[in-house]
Amino acid sequence: MKTIDELLAEGVAGKRVFVRADLNVPLDGTTITDDGRIRAVVPTVAKLAEAGARVVVASHLGRPKGAPDPAYSLAPAAARLGELLGAEVVFATDTVGESARAAVAALTDGRVAVIENLRFNAGETSKDDAERGAFADRLAELADVYVGDGFGAVHRKHASVFDLPARLPHYAGYLIATEVGVLKKLTTDVKRPYAVVLGGAKVSDKLGVIDHLLERADRILIGGGMAYTFLKAQGHEVGSSLLQEDQIPAVREYLRRAEEKGVEFVLPVDVVVAPAFPDLKTKAPAHPTTVAADAMPAGQMGLDNGPETNKLYAAKLADAATVFWNGPMGVFEHPDFADGTRAVAQALVDSSAFSVVGGGDSAAAVRILGFDENAFGHISTGGGASLEYLEGKTLPGLAALED
């Protein structure tokens, strides 16, 4: 795929450059609680503006139902982008309507505009090729060149990700180029030992990547809500913990295959439990206790790895040369259940391994728990996209940027 450096070498002064970014940031009302994805696109936008391009930034945010919804407006993200760029950013209150056309028409060289949430138009996410294509046609009228830099969306076959690049000269931005380069280090000529840490709520979200990694990883560490399905598959009681009964046969098969292939599966040896899921708004004490992973009492819910598990996981990561981590080890948003996630992050900081934090909640946890992002090899902006890449799937947004 062609890169933004090639575009810059060709010259962009006076050209309208459509940047498909990922500004899908978490909001508390209109307050951004984690601006990592906005900061990630700044290098691409800033470089284009410095070169005299008229930059049109577009993104989705949340899951509006194909119509305007003030709760999902990109206005806060546009304001934050302007702060990070140190320059005024014009905000259009629609996607391809009068406001967007006027905002783009008024741009001068080096200026930036953000158009409203792409998912306010049903054509963005439509499964109908014609409807999606019609929306892409209207977006193409706003630009002369396309730059894909929204890595968190490249696994979606959406109009602005898949259809629009076919209608304009297209290039990969700095973020996508970096993300793809990092993921290649996890799939080709991997430095070993290669350890993978998988957490999060559901085993079903990780089935594909586990299947793929059984052929590639040396050890796989499991935590988060998904751990309790693994423990149940081993015959242990898990109280009222999150459990996917229907996935137990698949999990047993993975454990069997791992043993057959010599891949080390590491599961919690102790867990932190409480009578109920904690209140994440008030952060009220949840009255946790620590129990052995094979002795969970009825009526108690597993919500984090215990201290012995944290020591075990740190030891299993200490000698790794490559680590991929996707998914928190517990309910890290509550102080009573953050130690497992903190321990994994600290182990990666202390390790000499090339470490990749695979986006989503893991990336948010690193920032919320106060770690220096520069202490990790790479923090991805796209959890789902990273997982699908590691599964070996073709990602529509990357395929669209290939020539």
Side-chain angles (χ1 to χ4, degrees), residues 19 47 84 95 103 111 114 169 179 195 211 264 270 332 336 343 353-354:
V19 177
K47 197 72 173 179
L84 292 168
T95 56
R111 297 292 303 279
V114 173
E179 294 271 14
D211 186 71
E264 186 180 9
D270 62 345
F332 71 91
D336 289 343
F354 174 68

Side-chain angles (χ1 to χ4, degrees), residues 24-193:
N24 184 28
V25 292
L27 295 172
D28 181 2
T30 59
T31 301
I32 296 169
T33 57
D34 180 1
D35 69 354
R37 284 176 168 167
I38 303 175
R39 287 187 284 112
V41 79
V42 166
T44 289
V45 175
K47 197 72 173 179
L48 288 168
E50 288 169 11
R54 303 177 183 190
V55 187
V56 183
V57 180
S59 175
H60 71 286
L61 191 152
R63 296 179 182 273
K65 301 185 185 300
D69 184 338
Y72 297 107
S73 175
L74 275 175
R80 180 59 180 147
L81 178 61
E83 292 172 357
L84 292 168
L85 290 170
E88 180 189 2
V89 168
V90 177
F91 180 65
T93 57
D94 56 30
T95 56
V96 290
E98 183 179 339
S99 179
R101 293 195 301 271
V104 174
L107 285 176
T108 54
D109 294 1
R111 297 292 303 279
V112 179
V114 173
I115 62 175
E116 185 55 284
N117 192 336
L118 292 164
R119 291 186 183 174
F120 285 2
N121 189 304
E124 170 67 1
T125 60
S126 176
K127 293 190 181 343
D128 181 82
D129 290 348
E131 184 180 11
R132 219 175 46 246
F135 183 50
D137 286 340
R138 296 187 68 189
L139 289 171
E141 294 172 2
L142 301 176
D144 305 305
V145 181
Y146 178 92
V147 171
D149 214 31
F151 181 74
V154 294
H155 58 314
R156 306 295 188 192
K157 192 176 181 181
H158 291 169
S160 66
V161 176
F162 179 74
D163 301 273
L164 183 56
R167 289 156 167 78
L168 296 169
H170 46 269
Y171 302 80
Y174 290 124
L175 175 61
I176 279 186
T178 298
E179 294 271 14
V180 171
V182 166
L183 289 171
K184 283 182 178 177
K185 291 184 180 181
L186 300 179
T187 53
T188 57
D189 298 324
V190 181
K191 293 184 178 179
R192 300 185 178 277

Side-chain angles (χ1 to χ4, degrees), residues 297-348:
Q300 293 285 314
M301 179 182 292
L303 295 164
D304 196 16
N305 288 347
E308 293 306 312
T309 301
N310 294 340
K311 292 177 188 176
L312 172 65
Y313 284 18
K316 294 295 182 181
L317 296 172
D319 68 339
T322 305
V323 180
F324 174 71
W325 171 28
N326 181 282
M329 298 293 98
V331 187
F332 71 91
E333 302 93 337
H334 192 287
D336 289 343
F337 308 106
D339 286 349
T341 303
R342 184 181 290 108
V344 168
Q346 188 63 55
L348 297 190

